[in-house]
């Protein structure tokens, strides 16, 4: 049972490793715990161990790789009348191996373009998910481009900056400083496509469209985050 006076921490991936030890840290520091992962037995053992720190613990079986798995975990917590004060989102795993494009590799011929963005080069407050997904696309594309060297298959990651399409309107960002700034030249879709296609044909790994966007991307990649975070937030804000 959890107590109404102790803050409650949810740790995902609490059945082993770093998650289990984060749960121990939190319990020692006066928290009750919700432990979540797929394997229940080690979490029940951990719950028993945590009573030594006076922690009440609830164990919930959750497969967070399943569609709706996170929502089910939230519902299970709410159904117990619990409110989470601290969330430690730790569940995860890795797998080593080459990511192949089997048909193309077998034929020893192929070209792939992934469209990322200059948003890929820094974190983006006020558009956090978009920037993070584009960082994923850039990282993933560069990695497989490197893996596929010598196979006859190339991967090109296209990174446009602001481009005159429906994107800004759909994203609700037409009024943002970023798009309206007189200092920035919004590029046409045709110009972006021309540069991207040229890079695809040449098998280039990364194509950043235009000198200004290359400077912005370089700044995003190398500027210390205490500087790039407020700058990006300001660009993602209305005038
Ligand atoms: N160990 C390293 O070298 C290292 C380095 C950098 C970052 N990390 C990160 O640290 C975090 C914890 O990893 P670890 O090193 O402690 O490895 P670990 O001992 O294998 O723990 C992974 C935890 O994630 C849980 N998990 C995996 N898939 C899950 C799913 N589908 N749904 C719910 N829970 C799931 C596992 O529980 P079940 O299998 O019971 O579900 C387990 O509790 C991960 O995010 C990992 O990427 C690890």
């Amino acid at each position: 049972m959890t107590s109404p006076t102790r803050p409650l921490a949810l740790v995902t991936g609490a059945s082993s490793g770093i998650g289990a030890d984060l749960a121990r840290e939190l319990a020692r520091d006066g928290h009750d715990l919700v432990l979540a992962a797929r394997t229940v037995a080690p979490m029940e053992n951990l719950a028993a161990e945590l009573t030594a720190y006076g922690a009440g613990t609830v164990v919930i079986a959750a497969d967070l790789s399943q569609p709706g798995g996170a929502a089910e975990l939230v519902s299970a917590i709410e159904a117990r009348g619990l409110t989470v004060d601290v969330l430690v989102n730790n569940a995860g795993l890795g797998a080593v191996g080459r990511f192949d494009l089997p048909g193309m590799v077998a034929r020893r011929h192929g070209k792939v373009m992934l469209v990322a963005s200059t948003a890929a080069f820094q974190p983006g407050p006020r558009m956090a998910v978009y920037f993070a997904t584009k960082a994923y696309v850039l990282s993933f594309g560069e990695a497989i481009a490197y893996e596929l060297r010598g196979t006859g298959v190339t991967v090109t990651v296209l990174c446009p900056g602001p481009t005159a399409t429906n994107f800004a309107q759909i994203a609700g960002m037409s009024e943002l400083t970023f798009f309206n700034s007189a200092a920035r030249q919004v590029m046409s879709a045709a110009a972006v496509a021309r540069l991207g296609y040229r890079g695809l044909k040449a098998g280039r790994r990364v194509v950043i469209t235009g000198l200004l966007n290359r400077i912005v991307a370089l700044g995003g990649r190398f500027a210390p985050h205490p500087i790039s975070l407020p700058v990006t937030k300001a660009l993602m804000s209305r005038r």
Side-chain angles (χ1 to χ4, degrees):
M1 286 294 288
T2 56
S3 118
T5 54
R6 290 170 68 105
L8 182 68
L10 164 61
V11 180
T12 70
S15 63
S16 69
I18 297 169
D21 276 310
L22 283 166
R24 290 184 181 96
E25 289 290 331
L26 286 153
R28 271 185 218 117
D29 197 38
H31 292 76
D32 287 337
L33 270 304
V34 176
L35 307 178
R38 293 168 300 184
T39 323
V40 168
M43 293 194 288
E44 285 177 340
N45 291 339
L46 179 59
E49 179 191 324
L50 299 184
T51 57
Y53 307 115
T57 302
V58 172
V59 170
I60 300 178
D63 185 347
L64 297 170
S65 68
Q66 294 303 308
E72 278 175 31
L73 175 58
V74 170
S75 298
I77 291 167
E78 286 175 352
R80 288 166 172 79
L82 300 173
T83 308
V84 171
D85 300 294
V86 179
L87 166 64
V88 178
N89 197 10
N90 159 81
L93 51 81
V96 161
R98 205 169 89 166
F99 182 95
D100 259 354
L101 304 158
M104 287 184 175
V105 171
R107 292 190 294 277
R108 300 196 62 75
H109 173 76
K111 291 187 181 303
V112 174
M113 176 186 282
L114 304 178
V115 179
S117 165
T118 48
F121 294 91
Q122 67 278 303
R126 285 183 48 80
M127 213 173 175
V129 171
Y130 179 76
F131 277 63
T133 57
K134 292 303 184 182
Y136 172 90
V137 173
L138 175 62
S139 171
F140 175 65
E142 282 202 84
I144 59 174
Y146 194 81
E147 280 179 6
L148 290 168
R149 284 176 319 151
T151 65
V153 181
T154 62
V155 176
T156 300
V157 185
L158 174 61
C159 299
T163 308
T165 67
N166 295 333
F167 178 84
Q169 195 190 350
I170 290 170
M173 58 195 299
S174 314
E175 302 304 315
L176 298 191
T177 313
F178 191 44
F179 262 77
N180 291 329
S181 167
R184 287 191 63 89
Q185 191 72 39
V186 173
M187 206 175 251
S188 71
V192 169
R194 194 162 48 246
L195 291 168
Y197 185 62
R198 194 189 297 165
L200 179 76
K201 276 184 86 170
R204 285 179 54 200
R205 201 156 69 218
V206 178
V207 175
I208 303 169
T209 54
L211 179 63
L212 186 56
N213 287 326
R214 284 204 290 281
I215 293 167
V216 167
L218 208 67
R221 175 163 274 174
F222 294 112
H225 285 185
I227 294 171
S228 65
L229 285 165
V231 169
T232 310
K233 182 172 178 232
L235 288 170
M236 291 296 131
S237 301
R238 290 175 200 285
R239 281 174 199 275

